[in-house]
Amino acid sequence: MKKLFGILTTALLLILFPCTLTKAGELKEVFIEGVEDMSVEEASEYIGNYIGIEPFNLDELTGISSIAYNSKEFSVIITTKCNLGFAEEVGVKEVYIQHRKEGSNTFGSIMVWEACYTHNTNDLSHSVGYEVKDPVIGKYYRGKQKHYIIYDGVEYSYYTYTAEIHFTGE
């Protein structure tokens, strides 16, 4: 059963966190053998592992970030969820694209938004995404972001990273 890479990412995020996502564009088509024989839970976990979704949980909040690409661009989708109930603020800040050259272990960082944060108020979750047009062929990329909530006047936060991709332009 063939699925579009972006549809899998979006569907999984919508199952886990029903909220608004930005358009990821046309993404690489892949075949995931055996998924049609799995339960929904097994398929969600398998697809999440296959496409590089990196969830992280604290008692107070859950953060999830994913990266998908095609031959011209890549997209990052970020979701933060408050596990305590409605948060005064729930969002993401300090959003970076990190890149490195082949053979290097050191990532350089580029800030994505000048405002440095995006959030919802009096809500359970917040999702946001961005696209990188014309990345450099041959470089490795990943997203870095800080998930946060403010609940009863206390801020809880942590960083997550997407899986790393090697952009080949194919």
Side-chain angles (χ1 to χ4, degrees):
M1 175 179 190
K2 288 190 174 187
K3 299 279 185 179
L4 286 177
F5 207 56
I7 292 172
L8 292 174
T9 304
T10 304
L12 184 59
L13 288 173
L14 288 173
I15 290 167
L16 296 174
F17 306 102
C19 45
T20 305
L21 301 174
T22 60
K23 182 181 176 190
E26 285 187 49
L27 299 172
K28 191 174 225 174
E29 189 174 313
V30 296
F31 177 74
I32 303 175
E33 193 169 326
V35 115
E36 64 274 357
D37 299 326
M38 298 178 186
S39 70
V40 172
E41 293 81 16
E42 291 170 330
S44 292
E45 182 178 346
Y46 180 79
I47 291 168
N49 291 334
Y50 185 83
I51 62 176
I53 293 179
E54 301 291 332
F56 188 82
N57 292 295
L58 296 175
D59 289 340
E60 297 82 13
L61 72 151
T62 300
I64 189 166
S65 56
S66 65
I67 189 167
Y69 65 97
N70 66 19
S71 63
K72 297 178 184 174
E73 62 192 17
F74 67 87
S75 300
V76 174
I77 300 171
I78 309 160
T79 300
T80 305
K81 179 179 176 268
C82 180
N83 297 331
L84 302 172
F86 284 86
E88 295 158 38
E89 282 187 22
V90 56
V92 64
K93 55 186 172 180
E94 298 179 29
V95 177
Y96 300 92
I97 298 168
Q98 294 192 310
H99 57 91
R100 69 178 178 85
K101 294 178 183 175
E102 180 128 18
S104 174
N105 293 325
T106 305
F107 279 92
S109 293
I110 301 168
M111 187 160 290
V112 174
W113 293 302
E114 287 186 32
C116 302
Y117 72 95
T118 176
H119 68 277
N120 287 346
T121 56
N122 300 315
D123 210 341
L124 294 172
S125 65
H126 178 67
S127 287
V128 66
Y130 59 90
E131 294 178 342
V132 176
K133 306 280 187 190
D134 300 319
V136 177
I137 292 175
K139 279 196 174 185
Y140 291 83
Y141 291 93
R142 70 181 182 187
K144 175 184 176 184
Q145 47 281 323
K146 185 177 190 179
H147 300 267
Y148 81 99
I149 63 167
I150 299 175
Y151 185 84
D152 280 344
V154 178
E155 183 173 332
Y156 303 90
S157 64
Y158 63 87
Y159 287 95
T160 62
Y161 299 85
T162 67
E164 181 180 297
I165 63 164
H166 182 212
F167 189 76
T168 62
E170 296 178 9

